[in-house]
Amino acid sequence: MTSTTATKEDSRTAALRAAVKELMPRAKSDLAQLVSFKSVADPRQFPVEECRQAAQWVADAFAAEGLTDAGLHETPDGSMAVVARSKAPAGAPTVMLYCHYDVQPPLDDAAWKTPVWTLTERDGRWYGRGAADCKGNIVMHLTALRALRKVLGDAFPVGLTLVSEGSEEQGTGGLEEFVPGNLELLRADTLLICDCGNFEVGVPTFTQTLRGNVNVVVTVETLAGSMHSGMFGGPAPDALAAMIQLLSTLRDAHGNTTVSGLPNSQVWEGHDYPVEQFRSDAGVLDGVDLLGSGKVADMLWARPAVTVLGMDVPPVVGSAAAIQPKTRARLNLRIPPGIKPDQALKALTAHLEANTPWHAKVTVETEATGSPFVGSTSGPARQAMSEAMEAAYGRPATTEGQGGSIPLCNVFADTYPQSEIMLMGVEEPKCLIHAPNESVDPSEIENMALSVALFLASYAE
Ligand SMILES: [Zn+2]
C-alpha cells in the first residue's frame, strides 16, 4: 500500500466516523419510533396491526435510503418478513443485512423502571422493549447506510439485501421456511446476522459459534404399581432411585458432562469469560462452585453440557410413603461445533441404556435435535469486517460463542453454502434482552454502524 492510499483510506474512515456521529440524534428518534410499536408477534397478546406498522416503518425507512422493491412478504407462520434490495454494481458482491422487528413481550410490566414502549434515556443508556433486540440493530443498519451515502454518494459500493424478520422471538420458524423457496430474492455473498452483540461495551466481538442441542425423554419402570415403602422398601426396585442413579452418571464429581463416546475436553480459542463476571451474570450464590474442569468459556461454548429440564416425581407436599414404579426425566444436551446431533443422540441413548441400574426397563424418546453452527472464520468478508471493527473501536475484534441456537443460521448455511455468515450486533450483556428493563448503549449503535459502513466500503474493493 502506498502512503497516498493509506491517507485516502484514513480520510474516508474519518469522514464515515463523523457522518455516523452526526446521524446519532436521528438514530435515537428512529429508535423511539420503532420502540413505540408493540410488535410482539403473538396476536393473543397484541393486535397484529402493531407488527404490520413496524414492518411498514422498516420497509419505508430502507426505501428512503435508496433500496428498491422494499416490501412485506408473508411467511408460512403468517408473519411478514421485510425485504428490500439494492442491485450490486458490476463485479461487486452482495451483502445481506439481517435483523428482526418483532420483540419479546414486556413480561412483568411492574418490573420496568421506565415505560416499556417509550424510549427513555437514563445514565447514558436508552431503555425500552426492543431497544437492543433487535430494533437497535435496525437503526444501526440504517445509520450505516445513511453515513455511506453521505460520504460516498447515493450509489452503494456493494449490492444489499435487507431482511427484517417478523417472528424471530416466537420460534415459529416463518422465515426459516420462507428461505428455501426464495433463494434468488434473498441471495447474498455475505450475510451479516445482526441479532447478537459484543462481549462487553467497547469490545468488538464476533459470535463465532452457536451450540446445537438434543432433547430426549427417558422413562424408567420397575414395578407394576406403587408399593408401601415400609412393607416393600429394601428389596423392591425403586424407579425413582434408579433414575437418580442413572442421571448421576451424566456428570462426574467436578460437574463435567460425561456422556460415553462424546468428547468433553475441548478448549475455547477466543475471548475468555472471566469467572467473576460469569458468577455475577448467572447469579451464582456465594460459596457455590462453578462446574467443570475447564475455563468458563470452555464449559459454555466448547464442550457438551447436559441439563435435566424436568422430572416426574411426587411433590413433597402430598407425597406418600410409597415406592415409585415409574418415572420420566426430560434431558437437554447442548453440543458444540464438531459434534453432530445424530452422533450426540446415539451416544446419549446408548449411555442411558447402558447405565440404567438393576435391569430396570428404560426407554428413550427423541424430542428434538438441532445442529451447532460455526460462522465464517477466514474469508475475505471476515477479514474486511475484522479490519472495520478494529478501525471503529480502536482495538482488535475477538470471538465468543453463544450457548443457545439460532436455527435460521443453519438454514442460511445450508441454503448458501458458499456464502460467509457473520454474527454480531449491539446486544451486549448489559442490554438485558428478553428481560424487563431492556436497554441499549448508544455508543454500540454508533460503533457498530461505523463498523458496518467501513465494511461495506472496503469489502467492495
Ligand atoms: Zn433477537
Side-chain angles (χ1 to χ4, degrees), residues 127-428:
Y127 287 81
R129 173 55 90 219
D133 178 16
C134 185
K135 290 168 173 175
N137 285 305
I138 299 175
V139 301
M140 181 275 283
H141 287 312
L142 274 172
T143 305
L145 299 186
R146 287 172 185 152
L148 271 181
R149 295 179 89 202
K150 229 167 156 176
V151 172
L152 301 183
D154 281 350
F156 293 113
V158 292
L160 294 170
T161 306
L162 179 276
V163 179
S164 195
E165 186 174 5
S167 60
E168 197 276 339
E169 303 292 7
Q170 296 300 317
T172 42
L175 187 61
E176 285 151 60
E177 286 181 53
F178 179 81
V179 172
N182 292 275
L183 276 181
E184 291 314 316
L185 177 72
L186 304 176
R187 184 180 293 284
D189 302 288
T190 288
L191 288 71
L192 304 186
I193 309 296
C194 294
D195 190 16
C196 292
N198 291 334
F199 183 76
E200 61 183 290
V201 172
V203 179
T205 311
F206 290 98
T207 299
Q208 193 64 55
T209 63
L210 306 170
R211 287 197 289 197
N213 69 298
V214 167
N215 277 14
V216 300
V217 174
V218 54
T219 305
V220 171
E221 291 173 272
T222 51
L223 295 165
S226 46
M227 303 304 287
H228 192 287
S229 65
M231 291 173 73
F232 295 96
D238 178 333
L240 191 46
M243 179 66 90
I244 290 167
Q245 217 173 95
L246 171 59
L247 296 180
S248 75
T249 66
L250 295 169
R251 297 268 190 181
D252 67 15
H254 303 286
N256 293 297
T257 291
T258 48
V259 175
S260 315
L262 289 188
N264 67 353
S265 57
Q266 302 93 316
V267 170
W268 180 255
E269 306 284 356
H271 204 81
D272 195 22
Y273 198 147
V275 171
E276 284 315 311
Q277 188 182 339
F278 181 82
R279 294 190 69 93
S280 145
D281 290 349
V284 180
L285 300 182
D286 279 349
V288 179
D289 299 340
L290 297 189
L291 302 192
S293 41
K295 295 187 312 246
V296 170
D298 301 334
M299 301 307 297
L300 191 57
W301 301 324
R303 300 183 186 182
V306 72
T307 304
V308 180
L309 300 181
M311 206 164 146
D312 291 343
V313 298
V316 170
V317 175
S319 54
I323 302 166
Q324 295 305 309
K326 174 182 175 179
T327 181
R328 298 187 306 162
R330 184 165 175 243
L331 309 182
N332 168 242
L333 177 65
R334 299 280 173 181
I335 49 173
I339 298 179
K340 291 199 171 71
D342 284 359
Q343 174 197 358
L345 177 62
K346 243 190 194 160
L348 180 60
T349 304
H351 180 107
L352 293 168
E353 288 170 353
N355 287 282
T356 303
W358 317 321
H359 299 102
K361 308 288 175 209
V362 61
T363 48
V364 181
E365 292 161 81
T366 311
E367 254 193 0
T369 63
S371 297
F373 173 82
V374 186
S376 167
T377 53
S378 61
R382 168 62 192 257
Q383 185 60 35
M385 184 58 89
S386 295
E387 286 164 15
M389 281 178 161
E390 184 165 355
Y393 282 86
R395 59 187 288 173
T398 184
T399 61
E400 65 178 351
Q402 187 170 302
S405 39
I406 307 179
L408 181 64
C409 288
N410 292 317
V411 173
F412 280 141
D414 291 344
T415 310
Y416 306 114
Q418 309 300 326
S419 301
E420 285 186 66
I421 304 180
M422 292 181 276
L423 281 68
M424 65 198 71
V426 304
E427 302 166 22
E428 39 75 36

Side-chain angles (χ1 to χ4, degrees), residues 10-158:
D10 288 346
S11 69
R12 186 174 71 192
T13 301
L16 284 170
R17 192 186 299 277
V20 167
K21 196 176 181 63
E22 210 179 305
L23 286 160
M24 285 304 290
R26 175 124 185 245
K28 188 179 185 185
S29 58
D30 280 358
L31 189 56
Q33 274 271 307
L34 270 171
V35 165
S36 74
F37 301 116
K38 303 177 178 73
S39 49
V40 176
D42 178 357
R44 295 166 305 181
Q45 298 185 60
F46 291 91
V48 175
E49 289 70 48
E50 297 281 347
C51 276
R52 289 299 147 87
Q53 286 169 12
Q56 196 57 53
W57 189 96
V58 172
D60 293 345
F62 283 90
E65 299 313 324
L67 273 64
T68 52
D69 312 323
L72 279 51
H73 297 257
E74 185 162 356
T75 72
D77 70 1
S79 68
M80 292 291 187
V82 179
V83 180
R85 302 197 301 173
S86 175
K87 206 171 164 336
T94 295
V95 176
M96 178 191 289
L97 306 176
Y98 168 89
C99 49
H100 62 86
Y101 65 81
D102 72 308
V103 295
Q104 285 282 332
L107 296 182
D108 178 2
D109 282 82
W112 282 78
K113 296 183 187 117
T114 61
V116 176
W117 308 107
T118 306
L119 192 72
T120 307
E121 183 163 350
R122 262 199 181 193
D123 304 323
R125 295 183 68 94
W126 299 344
Y127 287 81
R129 173 55 90 219
D133 178 16
C134 185
K135 290 168 173 175
N137 285 305
I138 299 175
V139 301
M140 181 275 283
H141 287 312
L142 274 172
T143 305
L145 299 186
R146 287 172 185 152
L148 271 181
R149 295 179 89 202
K150 229 167 156 176
V151 172
L152 301 183
D154 281 350
F156 293 113
V158 292

